[in-house]
Amino acid sequence: MEIYVVKAGDTVYKIAAEQGVPADTIIYNNQLEDPYPLSIGQALLLTKGESAQVKKAVETGGYAYPYISPDVLAQTLPYLSRLFVFSYGFTPQGDLIPPQNDDTFMIEMASASGTAPILTVTPFGPDGRFNNYLISQVANNMEVQQRFINQLVETVQQKGFRGVDIDFEYILAQDRIPFAQFVANVREAVNAIGYPVSVALAPKTSDSQKGTLYEGKDYALLGEAADSVLLMTYEWGYTYGPPMAVAPINMVRQVVEYALTRIPAEKISLGIPNYGYDWTLPFEQGVSRARTISNVQAPLTAYNNNAQIQFDETAQSPFFRYYKDGKEHEVWFEDVRSMQAKFDLVEEYNLRGMGYWQIMRLFRANWLLLADRFWIQHNL
């Protein structure tokens, strides 16, 4: 695979002729829509023969809701070791709550493709947000915790899951140690039936990092308690924040380097975002709300608004600005260059692999680049 950056005057057919790559391949790899518009600065993935590099084996994962398109799921599963089904909740009494949509087809499709379906559990309250009270209940009340674990194990066995992922956020500081022990207890029970337990970690850079997102997550304790961890290394640029890269590589690197002081590399997966954001300017704290945009849609938006895509070398992320209806917009997203930078980090630090939030929208070039760089471990 090679990455080509579009210049003024380029067309798909001109690039195909100059690079010796079939135009149909460029169109397919990059999900280009007829009449195949290209934006200046757009990064294209070109297939130019078999990879000659020695590949590192990695474990890959992707989160998906049960309303994912079966076609998108079918095209993505060959590149996944694990499919994280998002998500199961629970009551204050510890009773497990299944997703609103039936997830059976996801479990069956994953198993048929050699991808391990993983039950993801989250402490969402009635308002759909992470709930401190639910976390405290299951972490500190042993009766509630045991009921939760019993139902978790039963559901894994009945539905055909091959593991559990614990995605709890905004844990209270005083629940730091009880939460880690809770994860260890879940692991003991799930390991007993032959399956692993992973835990998602907020992107910390020190033990003493302040904030409700960080204080309840102890990297050392959770790294020991779980079979593996996912660093949620995204959302620097987020819906309610100012315009910036979603996963700037310089910030991602800081999280990885801190994590490696507390957790073995073979337990760590790097979180990767499969989306971008479109902000309307000027940004107003508490008022502005960015619109989510797919990595395939972003270059088309640039083209339709006569914008030139730029690349931030520090963040290793693409971005552009455009005007529409008298308002200026700023867009940050992911392309094959930014993905390459994240893959480089996985290889540099010999991490376990990577996990994607989320795979609801197909980004074919990413998966092709991933497969060119790594051997994907399948757990079934």
Side-chain angles (χ1 to χ4, degrees):
M1 300 287 177
E2 290 187 10
I3 296 173
Y4 179 87
V5 180
V6 175
K7 305 185 300 293
D10 276 343
T11 68
V12 166
Y13 297 101
K14 181 180 178 183
I15 295 170
E18 291 178 350
Q19 299 295 318
V21 179
D24 287 348
T25 302
I26 297 175
I27 292 165
Y28 177 79
N29 285 0
N30 298 282
Q31 295 170 260
L32 303 179
E33 299 179 1
D34 189 15
Y36 319 126
L38 298 176
S39 299
I40 297 174
Q42 179 177 356
L44 300 175
L45 187 69
L46 308 183
T47 304
K48 306 193 77 172
E50 293 294 325
S51 174
Q53 61 187 342
V54 177
K55 297 183 180 182
K56 167 183 165 59
V58 296
E59 183 177 85
T60 59
Y63 288 88
Y65 294 90
Y67 52 86
I68 187 173
S69 159
D71 180 60
V72 170
L73 183 58
Q75 293 190 63
T76 306
L77 282 172
Y79 304 99
L80 296 182
S81 309
R82 301 196 289 176
L83 173 66
F84 297 101
V85 178
F86 198 86
S87 69
Y88 283 69
F90 58 94
T91 69
Q93 295 74 38
D95 294 313
L96 208 62
I97 304 172
Q100 289 186 345
N101 297 67
D102 186 10
D103 57 3
T104 303
F105 81 99
M106 299 176 70
I107 299 167
E108 293 176 347
M109 287 180 66
S111 298
S113 72
T115 300
I118 306 297
L119 187 158
T120 302
V121 61
T122 52
F124 288 145
D127 59 358
R129 298 183 179 183
F130 287 98
N131 187 294
N132 294 141
Y133 175 68
L134 284 174
I135 297 171
S136 291
Q137 276 289 96
V138 80
N140 294 289
N141 187 315
M142 290 302 103
E143 181 180 348
V144 169
Q145 184 177 130
Q146 193 57 57
R147 182 180 296 112
F148 171 87
I149 291 175
N150 289 344
Q151 292 190 20
L152 191 64
V153 169
E154 182 181 1
T155 302
V156 167
Q157 292 177 307
Q158 286 183 350
K159 299 211 67 173
F161 284 108
R162 301 299 181 98
V164 170
D165 180 59
I166 300 172
D167 184 2
F168 286 21
E169 299 181 33
Y170 300 100
I171 301 158
L172 297 176
Q174 60 263 34
D175 288 335
R176 177 178 62 88
I177 294 175
F179 174 68
Q181 185 58 55
F182 160 73
V183 172
N185 293 343
V186 172
R187 179 188 184 186
E188 181 180 6
V190 176
N191 282 181
I193 59 173
Y195 301 124
V197 170
S198 58
V199 62
L201 301 182
K204 295 178 67 169
T205 55
S206 72
D207 289 341
S208 58
Q209 191 163 344
K210 298 299 182 182
T212 54
L213 188 61
Y214 311 107
E215 293 176 15
K217 290 281 181 79
D218 188 305
Y219 270 37
L221 292 179
L222 291 169
E224 184 177 350
D227 292 296
S228 63
V229 305
L230 173 71
L231 303 180
M232 293 187 288
T233 38
Y234 37 77
E235 291 290 276
W236 276 270
Y238 66 104
T239 304
Y240 301 103
M244 66 177 296
V246 177
I249 200 68
N250 54 317
M251 303 302 293
V252 171
R253 179 181 289 275
Q254 290 180 31
V255 176
V256 171
E257 290 178 347
Y258 163 67
L260 287 168
T261 68
R262 299 292 180 264
I263 306 168
E266 61 270 19
K267 278 193 169 188
I268 298 173
S269 287
L270 185 72
I272 297 179
N274 182 33
Y275 59 93
Y277 286 115
D278 182 332
W279 285 267
T280 301
L281 303 180
F283 171 78
E284 296 182 60
Q285 189 69 50
V287 177
S288 296
R289 177 187 173 95
R291 177 176 65 91
T292 304
I293 188 170
S294 79
N295 297 322
V296 175
Q297 181 187 6
L300 188 59
T301 300
Y303 176 85
N304 289 335
N305 293 281
N306 299 310
Q308 182 171 326
I309 296 172
Q310 302 176 64
F311 193 75
D312 186 299
E313 294 294 341
T314 300
Q316 287 287 294
S317 295
F319 69 99
F320 61 91
R321 286 189 173 188
Y322 70 93
Y323 286 89
K324 186 174 183 179
D325 299 328
K327 294 184 177 180
E328 188 177 16
H329 292 249
E330 185 168 332
V331 176
W332 289 82
F333 64 106
E334 303 291 332
D335 66 8
V336 283
R337 293 171 294 182
S338 65
M339 291 301 186
Q340 183 88 283
K342 294 170 180 59
F343 297 163
D344 288 345
L345 205 61
V346 170
E347 195 161 20
E348 177 183 349
Y349 290 107
N350 202 29
L351 302 182
R352 180 187 188 93
M354 59 284 289
Y356 287 78
W357 179 262
Q358 30 69 7
I359 60 165
M360 301 297 287
R361 294 172 174 175
L362 181 65
F363 185 18
R364 184 178 291 122
N366 162 79
W367 301 118
L368 294 173
L369 182 64
L370 174 68
D372 187 63
R373 287 287 302 271
F374 303 102
W375 292 114
I376 299 164
Q377 294 181 339
H378 285 280
N379 298 329
L380 295 181

